[in-house]
Amino acid sequence: MRKLLFTTTLIAGVAAAMTATVPAAAADKEVRVYNWSDYIDEEILKEFTEETGIKVVYDVFDSNETLETKLLAGGTGYDVVVPSGTFLSRQIQAGVFQKLDKSKLPNLKNMWPKIQQLTAGYDPDNAYSINYMWGTTGIGINVDKVKERLGDDMPLNSWDLVFKPEIAEKLKDCGIHWLDAPEEIFPTALNYIGFRGDSHDTDEIAKAAEMLDKVRGTVQKFHSSEYINALANGDICVAIGWSGDVLQARDRASEADKGVTVEYIIPKEGAQMWFDQMAIPADATNVDEAHAFLNYIMEPKVMAKASNYVYYANGNLASQEFLNDDVINDPAIYPDAETSEKLYTTTAYPPKVLRVVTRAWTKVKTGQ
């Protein structure tokens, strides 16, 4: 969920540069952050260090499953992590996070009650986390390639593009990517075939798996970040992806000026709304620094700077006056009332249901 992918070399360079800007004693303080790839403006990290004297050690991941494996194994070595809401919920139950000390977070006053109410569904009383970004899971398309294969009269605002076999087959040759994220794809499939996206009914999940199996052969790759550049470069024509990622691809394609036009679609059948939350692991060693980082992120101008960079909505109401017009006024980022009516949220699968979903997803990806 995610702008220019940080490499190890870049992060090391950023950390070194930040250390050089503060006195040696201050540089001994650090906060270790584990965030999604393509998901922050590195200037925010530098400015945090300049303001607080706390060095940021920053690593990235590209799937909730990767983060969850580290958290459940213990000893992550991180002070701030960024799970999505459904994963956060079961991770709280597993005891992998510590409660926030809200006395150290005065900038909580800037947060958006509407979003806090929704995230409380994953984290009651928002006791363990703050919202970083939120968005939707929809479809990114290369407009010209899709129209070339389907014709100008074919409606493009439907999950039919990826889930209806006769349509997906027509797009197969120009490349279809899906997120490698079963807790995104299964709710989407369930909603598409007429069930609740948040269904935990294993019979309904099996029917969704049957539908997905019919179109799995049209998918070129299951990956949760490669589709950004693939769309921007014109290498694929359709992706199931996260809103901000597709909008980043759109802007990169526009800047490259090579005739690639990318659009993000919230399909007429509806789309999942998700939340990425910042939390502090129970085994964090730099707890005060972690709170300082969260409080800094909740500064309105800082949160706006992050959203203006990654093209995702955030849960900070006070930040909205500082958002660029092409962010706050884009209904693909901040959906209008009509679009919001079609959005739904999901809750964490219980362990038995999760095992069913995981097995079904493996079969979708491998055919076995």
Side-chain angles (χ1 to χ4, degrees), residues 143-156:
V143 177
D144 295 330
K145 284 189 174 183
V146 169
K147 286 186 174 181
E148 178 184 334
R149 285 157 179 79
L150 301 182
D152 290 336
D153 296 331
M154 173 68 194
L156 302 181

Side-chain angles (χ1 to χ4, degrees), residues 9-22:
T9 302
L10 176 56
I11 294 304
V14 169
M18 291 189 289
T19 303
T21 64
V22 298

Side-chain angles (χ1 to χ4, degrees), residues 33 62 94 97 117 121 125-126 178 204 206 215 222 233 249 272 282 285 290 294 334 342:
V33 180
D62 69 0
F97 297 120
Q117 182 178 4
D125 298 322
N126 293 286
W178 287 7
E204 294 178 355
V215 289
F222 299 88
N233 296 335
Q272 182 177 348
T285 56
L294 296 188
Y334 284 89
K342 301 184 295 182

Side-chain angles (χ1 to χ4, degrees), residues 189-196:
L190 284 160
N191 181 68
Y192 176 71
I193 61 176
F195 299 120
R196 289 186 310 111

Side-chain angles (χ1 to χ4, degrees), residues 226-276:
E226 287 187 14
Y227 67 93
I228 304 172
N229 282 332
L231 275 173
N233 296 335
D235 297 331
I236 63 173
C237 60
V238 179
I240 299 178
W242 291 301
S243 49
D245 283 0
V246 176
L247 295 171
Q248 289 172 34
R250 177 196 67 185
D251 290 352
R252 292 180 194 179
S254 178
E255 290 165 6
D257 197 22
K258 293 183 179 179
V260 176
T261 302
V262 175
E263 286 187 8
Y264 177 70
I265 296 167
I266 297 177
K268 63 183 181 181
E269 298 90 350
Q272 182 177 348
M273 186 179 184
W274 50 259
F275 308 88
D276 285 342

Side-chain angles (χ1 to χ4, degrees), residues 123-146:
D123 175 11
D125 298 322
N126 293 286
Y128 291 87
S129 68
I130 66 165
N131 180 251
Y132 177 54
M133 298 288 167
W134 60 272
T136 55
T137 302
I139 305 174
I141 65 168
N142 179 316
V143 177
D144 295 330
K145 284 189 174 183
V146 169

Side-chain angles (χ1 to χ4, degrees), residues 9-298:
T9 302
L10 176 56
I11 294 304
V14 169
M18 291 189 289
T19 303
T21 64
V22 298
D28 290 341
K29 293 184 177 181
E30 69 176 22
V31 61
R32 306 182 70 86
V33 180
Y34 197 36
N35 196 1
W36 290 87
S37 60
D38 302 342
Y39 217 24
I40 202 165
D41 183 340
E42 66 181 89
E43 288 297 317
I44 291 173
L45 307 181
K46 293 179 181 178
E47 290 163 0
F48 170 74
T49 296
E50 290 168 359
E51 183 170 317
T52 66
I54 301 170
K55 181 177 75 172
V56 182
V57 178
Y58 192 93
D59 293 323
V60 299
F61 59 91
D62 69 0
S63 78
N64 270 300
E65 289 77 12
T66 298
L67 171 60
E68 183 164 78
T69 298
K70 284 183 178 288
L71 288 170
L72 295 180
T76 64
Y78 294 107
D79 306 305
V80 175
V81 297
V82 192
S84 297
T86 51
F87 282 76
L88 173 83
S89 178
R90 65 168 174 257
Q91 290 158 3
I92 289 172
Q93 295 174 20
V96 300
F97 297 120
Q98 57 183 275
K99 283 191 174 182
L100 301 177
D101 183 347
K102 295 187 178 182
S103 69
K104 297 178 180 178
L105 301 172
N107 283 330
L108 280 170
K109 66 181 185 292
N110 298 321
M111 301 305 281
W112 192 356
K114 172 185 173 182
I115 299 301
Q116 287 183 306
Q117 182 178 4
L118 292 170
T119 57
Y122 307 107
D123 175 11
D125 298 322
N126 293 286
Y128 291 87
S129 68
I130 66 165
N131 180 251
Y132 177 54
M133 298 288 167
W134 60 272
T136 55
T137 302
I139 305 174
I141 65 168
N142 179 316
V143 177
D144 295 330
K145 284 189 174 183
V146 169
K147 286 186 174 181
E148 178 184 334
R149 285 157 179 79
L150 301 182
D152 290 336
D153 296 331
M154 173 68 194
L156 302 181
N157 63 336
S158 172
W159 286 110
D160 287 349
L161 291 178
V162 288
F163 291 151
K164 200 166 188 177
E166 57 267 36
I167 295 177
E169 282 291 340
K170 293 179 181 179
L171 299 171
K172 177 180 177 180
D173 73 295
C174 63
I176 298 174
H177 280 199
W178 287 7
L179 291 169
D180 186 3
E183 297 195 36
E184 302 280 346
I185 302 298
F186 272 95
T188 300
L190 284 160
N191 181 68
Y192 176 71
I193 61 176
F195 299 120
R196 289 186 310 111
D198 192 32
S199 174
H200 292 181
D201 185 308
T202 54
D203 290 336
E204 294 178 355
I205 290 169
K207 290 178 182 177
E210 289 175 11
M211 186 277 290
L212 294 172
D213 192 57
K214 292 177 182 177
V215 289
R216 60 167 299 278
T218 66
V219 182
Q220 181 185 96
K221 179 169 281 192
F222 299 88
H223 201 278
S224 295
S225 61
E226 287 187 14
Y227 67 93
I228 304 172
N229 282 332
L231 275 173
N233 296 335
D235 297 331
I236 63 173
C237 60
V238 179
I240 299 178
W242 291 301
S243 49
D245 283 0
V246 176
L247 295 171
Q248 289 172 34
R250 177 196 67 185
D251 290 352
R252 292 180 194 179
S254 178
E255 290 165 6
D257 197 22
K258 293 183 179 179
V260 176
T261 302
V262 175
E263 286 187 8
Y264 177 70
I265 296 167
I266 297 177
K268 63 183 181 181
E269 298 90 350
Q272 182 177 348
M273 186 179 184
W274 50 259
F275 308 88
D276 285 342
Q277 303 290 108
M278 285 189 165
I280 302 175
D283 60 2
T285 56
N286 302 298
V287 177
D288 287 342
E289 290 81 0
H291 280 86
F293 186 80
L294 296 188
N295 197 56
Y296 183 78
I297 287 293
M298 289 187 289

Side-chain angles (χ1 to χ4, degrees), residues 311-327:
Y311 283 83
Y312 280 105
N314 69 62
N316 188 309
L317 185 61
S319 76
Q320 293 187 9
E321 66 176 294
F322 305 109
L323 292 172
N324 293 341
D325 286 343
D326 65 345
V327 173

